[in-house]
Amino acid sequence: MIVKNPYMLYEKALDGETCSRIIDHGKSKVEKATVDGGPVKENVRKSNIAWLTDPWLYQIVSPYVMDANKASGWNYDVTMYESLQFTCYEPGGYYSWHSDGGSDIHSSYTKEMTNVSAKIGKIRKLSMTLNLTDPNDYEGGDLKFDTGQHNKPQYLEPPEVRTQGSIIVFPSYIPHQITPLTSGTRYSLVLWALGDPFK
């Protein structure tokens, strides 16, 4: 699908103190990144993560997801959120090109994929990334999109998302990557909004 607005950006949505609080909380729970309980292949991703379900975190970020859904004109029917993913990228860390979810029934969660019954039959519709780190504290680690539009700029790399406290929301089916981190440490918080498959 091609959308008019591939993302919505809220620059400096959160202050540094709030970002530091989230970082401290996430660091206390961080572990090696896994997929379905198994290790992630390093040709796909190299990072450490923590899964967070604290209500105060949802209260901070979910209003931006809902506002972006409306302001962008997407107006996707979303019914729930997944656990938040706190991510730590260190030098050499990256996440290669991927989509957070598909758009049809073939991309929906099955009972073999999740132990949360409410997620069964749902797909990821919206993705949110919150940059928690001061951009002066790391190099590389840029969020980059592939819009698939070959008659327009295909690759988008919004520099404003590097600003500490900035939030970006985008349809989960849009391919994106985190480029390799060359120095420092980058922390982020990711959230996915789920709903029924597109018709």
Side-chain angles (χ1 to χ4, degrees):
M1 273 191 282
I2 304 288
V3 290
K4 182 178 180 182
N5 297 305
Y7 62 82
M8 292 292 292
L9 180 66
Y10 301 87
E11 191 173 5
K12 297 182 182 177
L14 304 184
D15 60 34
E17 184 178 339
T18 303
C19 290
S20 294
R21 181 183 175 204
I22 296 171
I23 290 171
D24 290 343
H25 182 61
K27 283 169 65 176
S28 72
K29 299 178 181 294
V30 80
E31 57 193 48
K32 289 286 185 183
T34 62
V35 173
D36 298 328
V40 174
K41 295 179 181 177
E42 285 205 1
N43 64 340
V44 175
R45 177 181 193 172
K46 186 177 179 184
S47 64
N48 297 317
I49 65 167
W51 296 106
L52 308 175
T53 57
D54 307 84
W56 64 274
L57 290 171
Y58 288 98
Q59 290 169 5
I60 290 172
V61 299
S62 62
Y64 292 98
V65 177
M66 292 298 94
D67 183 76
N69 191 28
K70 183 176 180 181
S72 65
W74 303 322
N75 294 310
Y76 296 157
D77 183 22
V78 296
T79 57
M80 65 179 294
Y81 294 111
E82 288 193 62
S83 297
L84 292 142
Q85 180 183 273
F86 174 80
T87 310
C88 171
Y89 293 97
E90 296 177 326
Y94 67 95
Y95 200 155
S96 59
W97 286 109
H98 67 284
S99 296
D100 292 336
S103 58
D104 61 20
I105 191 73
H106 302 292
S107 304
S108 61
Y109 279 103
T110 65
K111 63 181 178 180
E112 292 78 26
M113 297 167 65
T114 180
N115 59 3
V116 180
S117 60
K119 288 168 59 174
I120 296 173
K122 306 292 184 188
I123 63 168
R124 289 176 173 174
K125 286 191 166 179
L126 293 173
S127 299
M128 179 225 72
T129 298
L130 161 60
N131 181 34
L132 296 166
T133 310
D134 185 315
N136 297 315
D137 292 344
Y138 70 98
E139 293 182 1
D142 293 305
L143 174 63
K144 193 171 183 179
F145 294 103
D146 181 352
T147 65
Q149 299 184 74
H150 300 284
N151 58 340
K152 297 180 180 179
Q154 179 179 357
Y155 299 105
L156 302 176
E157 193 172 327
E160 302 88 351
V161 78
R162 287 184 64 91
T163 304
Q164 184 179 36
S166 293
I167 290 175
I168 193 164
V169 182
F170 55 95
S172 298
Y173 54 78
I174 294 181
H176 55 285
Q177 69 166 336
I178 299 296
T179 62
L181 202 79
T182 56
S183 68
T185 304
R186 176 184 184 267
Y187 298 104
S188 64
L189 191 69
V190 177
L191 177 63
W192 300 279
L194 308 182
D196 293 328
F198 293 104
K199 296 180 180 178

